[in-house]
Amino acid sequence: MNSKKSVAIDGPSGAGKSTIARRVSEEFGFIYVDTGAIYRTVGLAAALRKLDPKDKAAVVAMLPEISIRLAYGEDGLQHMYLDGEDVTSRIRTPEISLYASGVSAHPEVRAYLMEMQRSLARENDVVMDGRDIGTVVLPDAGLKIFLTASPEARARRRYSELVAKGQDVQYEDVLRDLTVRDENDSTRAAAPLKAAEDALLLDTTEMDFEESCRAVAEMIRERFCL
Ligand code: DC
């Protein structure tokens, strides 16, 4: 029996999963696991090799050749390492988002990354976010939340984040990329994005960040009697 507490947060790109999950994990002293960053690291590896992310044979052949590691830095944040190099910021570009979405459709890639995710939840109290955490990775999670918002609200947030990071992007491009990723992520055969039957739904279209965090924190307090 796993005595650790797990909160699984799934939902489409830009619903606010990572910022909300990071904040509430701090509040409760859980570690925050951003599983999208793990898929992004595989996406970056494919991009560096100039592979087509949809070319399953090429992507699968690459897996034994790369080393992916996740570690928490002195800053308390999750860092991703590809072949020993810290790629935490390099994986945050629109190009790598699409690569991540592409490689994540292959069941072999998902299987390859499964144990890394499950072992973190065996050993720690976690807030883990992704697309299939409540349905596949942690089906026994103590609390499952499906976080969503309208495509326009999500694109607006993602656009502001990228601009704040100094990236030169257009809102229309962000909305288009997000719609493509939604389509890829929810129609793929392997672990598509969908709410677990026992997930609590939270639509943040009309909520600001603080309201969303309060709603999630309340769900955690109630579920785990904290
Ligand atoms: O959460 P994110 O936007 O950083 O994720 C990048 C891509 O990785 C996303 O388009 C789909 C994929 N992904 C996945 O398939 N399963 C997860 N648990 C997390 C991310």
Side-chain angles (χ1 to χ4, degrees):
M1 236 329 253
N2 186 354
S3 57
K4 299 294 181 189
K5 300 179 187 68
S6 302
V7 178
I9 304 186
D10 292 301
S13 314
K17 298 186 301 289
S18 58
T19 39
I20 296 169
R22 192 174 300 122
R23 162 73 80 79
V24 298
S25 63
E26 272 170 21
E27 185 176 339
F28 292 97
F30 291 18
I31 64 164
Y32 165 52
V33 184
D34 171 1
T35 64
I38 310 177
Y39 285 94
R40 284 169 180 274
T41 305
V42 178
L44 174 65
L48 291 173
R49 284 168 173 73
K50 303 202 175 359
L51 303 183
D52 171 358
K54 295 214 157 71
D55 182 344
K56 173 165 148 160
V59 171
V60 171
M62 174 189 80
L63 295 177
E65 295 170 6
I66 60 175
S67 136
I68 289 183
R69 201 165 60 82
L70 179 159
Y72 290 86
E74 282 176 11
D75 51 9
L77 299 179
Q78 172 183 324
H79 286 245
M80 294 305 308
Y81 295 85
L82 174 61
D83 299 327
E85 185 196 341
D86 187 336
V87 294
T88 311
S89 359
R90 281 183 83 183
I91 56 176
R92 297 284 154 203
T93 65
E95 188 200 359
I96 299 306
S97 299
L98 291 172
Y99 268 91
S101 184
V103 297
S104 71
H106 307 307
E108 293 81 355
V109 171
R110 310 197 68 82
Y112 172 81
L113 300 176
M114 181 72 81
E115 182 50 26
M116 181 188 291
Q117 300 171 74
R118 285 191 174 154
S119 69
L120 284 160
R122 267 197 305 274
E123 289 154 22
N124 306 275
D125 292 333
V126 293
V127 178
M128 188 177 287
D129 79 10
R131 303 295 186 289
D132 62 337
I133 308 305
T135 49
V136 179
V137 179
L138 304 178
D140 298 325
L143 173 62
K144 301 177 186 178
I145 299 173
F146 194 80
L147 198 71
T148 189
S150 71
E152 293 75 18
R154 292 187 283 116
R156 262 197 314 276
R157 292 174 194 162
R158 186 48 62 89
Y159 171 74
S160 310
E161 254 172 52
L162 292 169
V163 169
K165 282 188 197 155
Q167 297 195 18
D168 179 21
V169 287
Q170 301 298 318
Y171 169 78
E172 288 70 25
D173 295 338
V174 174
L175 178 60
R176 195 198 49 236
D177 284 359
L178 192 129
T179 313
V180 171
R181 283 215 285 151
D182 279 0
E183 175 72 13
N184 282 350
D185 298 347
S186 46
T187 58
R188 69 183 178 213
L193 168 67
K194 68 170 196 282
E197 275 179 17
D198 50 352
L200 303 180
L201 295 185
L202 184 63
D203 184 329
T204 65
T205 305
E206 304 291 336
M207 290 176 153
D208 67 18
F209 175 62
E210 294 297 334
E211 288 168 331
S212 309
C213 290
R214 272 201 296 280
V216 171
E218 194 47 44
M219 288 172 178
I220 296 177
R221 254 192 296 278
E222 209 164 277
R223 181 61 55 95
F224 297 107
C225 303
L226 296 174

